[in-house]
Amino acid sequence: MRNFIIILVGILLSFQGAAQYDSTVRQYINTYKNSAVIEMVRTGVPAAITLAQGILEAGAGKSELALKSNNHFGIKCKSNWQGERVYHNDDAQGECFRKYATAEESFIDHSNFLKANTRYAFLFMLDPTNYSSWAYGLKQAGYATEPRYPILLIQCIEKYRLQDYTLLGLDMITQQQNNISKK
């Protein structure tokens, strides 16, 4: 009986932890959905992909990197980075990561990073609603070292219905195009 109670308490605590994480993720989505949609309209990066990457890369805004540098996408400095820097242990110790004044700057830089980098160019030929192709394409292009990265992105998109934000972005793009053609 005692073992049963211990197992039951363990299960209940894991559900509580999962519920708290789920609440954190939903709050993250609510906070940054507009940034993701705006960036989709501006650059073509699907909002679902942006949100899922932010959730995974930044622990829904709670990771050390996100908290101390507003870096929601784990973008490293590289040689061309002219902005502020922060050092963080990732694949190696003390790696240089980009630091932003705000999370929104991180969202803008994430879109710019993907759009300007030739190794990601093929992604923009894909249907923006095909989040699976985008997820596997990001992995293929070397965005993340986690072997299950595409699967984790897809699961996140499906669990939190992030595709709705891509569809909203496409709707806004269509409206803009219609307004331009009416002029």
Side-chain angles (χ1 to χ4, degrees):
M1 181 65 160
R2 183 167 192 251
N3 287 342
F4 174 75
I5 292 172
I6 290 171
I7 291 170
L8 184 61
V9 168
I11 291 170
L12 290 175
L13 288 175
S14 69
F15 282 132
Q16 182 183 8
Q20 285 174 336
Y21 180 75
D22 193 58
S23 174
T24 298
V25 170
R26 292 188 190 286
Q27 183 179 1
Y28 184 87
I29 293 165
N30 196 43
T31 301
Y32 296 112
K33 64 186 177 191
N34 291 339
S35 294
V37 170
I38 288 167
E39 285 307 298
M40 179 178 173
V41 171
R42 187 176 73 83
T43 66
V45 178
I49 291 292
T50 298
L51 286 167
Q53 284 190 283
I55 290 164
L56 292 180
E57 297 284 343
K62 301 296 184 191
S63 73
E64 182 182 341
L65 189 59
L67 293 172
K68 75 180 186 182
S69 65
N70 285 311
N71 189 329
H72 285 244
F73 301 96
I75 299 177
K76 295 178 181 170
C77 294
K78 305 292 181 194
S79 60
N80 63 342
W81 178 246
Q82 301 297 315
E84 286 193 59
R85 301 160 183 259
V86 64
Y87 296 88
H88 181 75
N89 296 338
D90 189 44
D91 295 329
Q93 284 207 300
E95 289 188 277
C96 183
F97 286 85
R98 298 177 182 196
K99 183 177 182 178
Y100 307 97
T102 66
E104 285 74 17
E105 284 182 19
S106 178
F107 276 75
I108 291 166
D109 191 49
H110 169 260
S111 299
N112 291 343
F113 178 81
L114 293 177
K115 192 75 174 170
N117 196 321
T118 55
R119 72 180 181 179
Y120 300 113
F122 73 96
L123 293 172
F124 294 91
M125 306 294 273
L126 301 172
D127 178 348
T129 64
N130 189 341
Y131 57 85
S132 292
S133 292
W134 268 82
Y136 281 99
L138 284 165
K139 176 65 179 154
Q140 176 188 332
Y143 189 92
T145 56
E146 163 62 54
R148 298 176 308 125
Y149 194 71
I151 294 164
L152 296 171
L153 284 175
I154 292 165
Q155 287 174 342
C156 185
I157 289 167
E158 291 174 351
K159 179 176 182 175
Y160 296 105
R161 299 181 46 125
L162 301 180
Q163 187 69 343
D164 292 349
Y165 302 106
T166 294
L167 297 174
L168 178 62
L170 285 173
D171 216 27
M172 292 174 73
I173 291 167
T174 302
Q175 287 176 16
Q176 277 185 350
Q177 291 169 342
N178 287 341
N179 289 340
I180 290 170
S181 66
K182 288 179 184 178
K183 290 183 179 180

